[in-house]
Amino acid sequence: FYKNVMMVLSIYWFNVYSGWSGTKLSLEVGYQMYNALFTAFPIVWISLVDKDVVDDLSRRIPQLYHLGIRRAYFGGWPTLRWILEAVYESLFITFGTVWGLEYLAPNGESPGLYMVGATTFTLAVIVPNLKLLLWSWQTSRWQALFILLELVLWYVCCVISSAIGTSSATPSFVRSMVIGWFGLWENIQATGAFWLLLVLLTTATLLPQLFFIAAERAWRPELRDLAMEAAYYKQPMEGIEDYVRTRSATRRTRATR
């Protein structure tokens, strides 16, 4: 749900900025295929193969399952946090694009509606795909390939939409899906500010979250984080098991007082 909130809010903020004009901001086909094509494959891959610790360690330390029992990943606070991140990211993407592209179109003018829309939607594809790297426990070549595939699919969609444009040979239904895009992608690629914004706004939205995750794991580690670190550095697990037994005994003692 997070990426949909972020994508929809980027449209909402632009409507606020434009006085509720109601004009379509980006490609209709982009909106229709956002979940099914442009952000799907990395999520499916991570859902199927990503895990924090190996199976043997999960059996040795069953307390690792307490995070699920405590609803650490699915509850009121995690849901609110993801929504707040979506709001923050959508604000950065929308207003960073609008103000960042001002007077920087190819001929020195401010960009048109569809150039702003193409930039914001490109960022709405890049940011959630890269954000998965922050929340996945393992990284692999396959994960990187799936993320790259999503970006390539969006790029190909933009090239085709820009080429189709308003050609009379194109069916009216298809033309309605690419309104305003005739020759647009070529102009966007020739604009250096577009590429600069992709780097700056992606960094501005994801870097604070990277620092937050790193700080939380360094100064407020869960048992899972300790087990992962011990496994990564090939340390004996007896220390983790002793720590778990000691902590459990301490909690039982406090409960009986």
Side-chain angles (χ1 to χ4, degrees):
F1 68 94
Y2 139 78
K3 57 188 175 66
N4 292 295
V5 174
M6 186 268 290
M7 187 267 288
V8 171
L9 279 178
S10 66
I11 305 171
Y12 175 82
W13 301 131
F14 185 80
N15 271 285
V16 173
Y17 176 80
S18 63
W20 304 99
S21 64
T23 307
K24 187 177 296 185
L25 183 60
S26 190
L27 273 176
E28 180 65 28
V29 67
Y31 298 137
Q32 299 297 332
M33 302 302 293
Y34 184 70
N35 289 307
L37 192 61
F38 302 129
T39 58
F41 300 130
I43 294 176
V44 173
W45 171 259
I46 288 176
S47 300
L48 292 176
V49 305
D50 191 44
K51 55 184 178 181
D52 48 6
V53 297
V54 297
D55 297 341
D56 179 63
L57 188 55
S58 297
R59 288 189 290 267
R60 291 179 60 180
I61 310 178
Q63 289 84 354
L64 290 168
Y65 292 94
H66 284 185
L67 286 171
I69 297 172
R70 285 158 39 198
R71 303 184 71 183
Y73 301 122
F74 191 76
W77 164 241
T79 301
L80 177 61
R81 184 186 64 194
W82 281 95
I83 291 177
L84 290 175
E85 289 177 3
V87 173
Y88 156 77
E89 292 167 11
S90 62
L91 283 168
F92 254 88
I93 287 173
T94 302
F95 292 104
T97 299
V98 170
W99 295 329
L101 287 176
E102 193 170 8
Y103 307 123
L104 293 177
N107 296 318
E109 74 278 13
S110 292
L113 170 71
Y114 297 109
M115 188 173 180
V116 172
T119 306
T120 55
F121 197 85
T122 300
L123 286 163
V125 172
I126 293 174
V127 169
N129 278 301
L130 292 183
K131 185 170 181 171
L132 287 173
L133 296 173
L134 301 181
W135 292 99
S136 59
W137 304 115
Q138 300 173 337
T139 55
S140 66
R141 294 178 182 176
W142 281 105
Q143 184 179 354
L145 285 174
F146 279 125
I147 292 175
L148 180 62
L149 174 63
E150 301 286 26
L151 303 183
V152 170
L153 287 173
W154 170 241
Y155 183 88
V156 171
C157 177
C158 292
V159 171
I160 294 174
S161 301
S162 184
I164 291 175
T166 57
S167 172
S168 58
T170 306
S172 58
F173 170 75
V174 176
R175 290 202 303 271
S176 68
M177 301 284 282
V178 294
I179 291 176
W181 269 67
F182 181 65
L184 177 68
W185 196 243
E186 289 78 5
N187 292 332
I188 289 177
Q189 292 182 93
T191 305
F194 167 77
W195 300 104
L196 181 61
L197 280 179
L198 293 188
V199 175
L200 292 180
L201 293 180
T202 301
T203 303
T205 54
L206 296 182
L207 195 60
Q209 299 176 55
L210 174 62
F211 289 153
F212 173 79
I213 293 172
E216 193 171 48
R217 293 180 184 176
W219 293 312
R220 293 182 55 192
E222 294 281 357
L223 176 60
R224 171 208 59 223
D225 301 315
L226 301 177
M228 289 175 61
E229 185 173 347
Y232 179 81
Y233 289 107
K234 297 181 173 56
Q235 298 297 316
M237 290 298 160
E238 286 75 11
I240 299 294
E241 292 175 310
D242 292 340
Y243 167 76
V244 170
R245 284 193 292 268
T246 302
R247 191 170 67 168
S248 299
T250 302
R251 287 179 175 175
R252 285 194 298 268
T253 302
R254 290 176 179 174
T256 57
R257 288 178 179 176

